[in-house]
């Protein structure tokens, strides 16, 4: 669902901030940071930019179709005979 590269980069930067005494644990910390970041972002129900753009295009097409249908219905309503008055 997510591009893991930003998580990898961020996890690496976080691991680099660890004091020198803990540098031996850096690989483990990087993996743990990455897993933690992915888990928290997954809970946020975020979508990728690509998914967003696809849905935006679908919505735009749907709006165009709706506008065309509204115009068509209005034209058909104009063609109907007037209802008789009672």
């Amino acid at each position: 669902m997510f591009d893991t590269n930003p998580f990898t980069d961020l996890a690496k930067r976080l691991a680099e901030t660890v004091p020198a005494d803990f540098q031996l644990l850096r690989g483990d910390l990087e993996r743990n940071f990455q897993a933690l970041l992915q888990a928290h972002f997954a809970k946020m129900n975020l979508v990728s930019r690509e998914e967003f753009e696809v849905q935006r295009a679908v919505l735009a097409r749907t709006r165009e179709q709706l506008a065309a249908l509204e115009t068509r219905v209005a034209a058909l309503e104009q063609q109907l005979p007037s209802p008789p008055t009672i």
Side-chain angles (χ1 to χ4, degrees):
M1 182 168 149
F2 293 107
D3 177 17
T4 58
N5 194 20
F7 297 122
T8 303
D9 292 342
L10 184 55
K12 184 177 181 178
R13 284 188 274 159
L14 285 170
E16 288 172 354
T17 64
V18 173
D21 296 344
F22 297 103
Q23 287 300 316
L24 294 175
L25 303 173
R26 185 173 169 195
D28 289 335
L29 287 172
E30 246 180 82
R31 285 187 293 279
N32 289 336
F33 284 145
Q34 185 173 357
L36 185 66
L37 289 167
Q38 285 177 330
H40 283 290
F41 276 96
K43 287 180 185 178
M44 296 173 83
N45 293 324
L46 301 174
V47 296
S48 68
R49 172 55 77 179
E50 181 180 345
E51 290 173 285
F52 176 80
E53 292 299 333
V54 167
Q55 290 302 313
R56 191 167 125 188
V58 168
L59 180 58
R61 279 195 312 270
T62 303
R63 285 181 175 161
E64 289 171 6
Q65 290 173 348
L66 178 60
L69 287 172
E70 286 174 338
T71 303
R72 191 169 163 198
V73 167
L76 290 171
E77 286 175 341
Q78 297 254 332
Q79 293 176 4
L80 288 175
S82 299
T85 56
I86 299 177

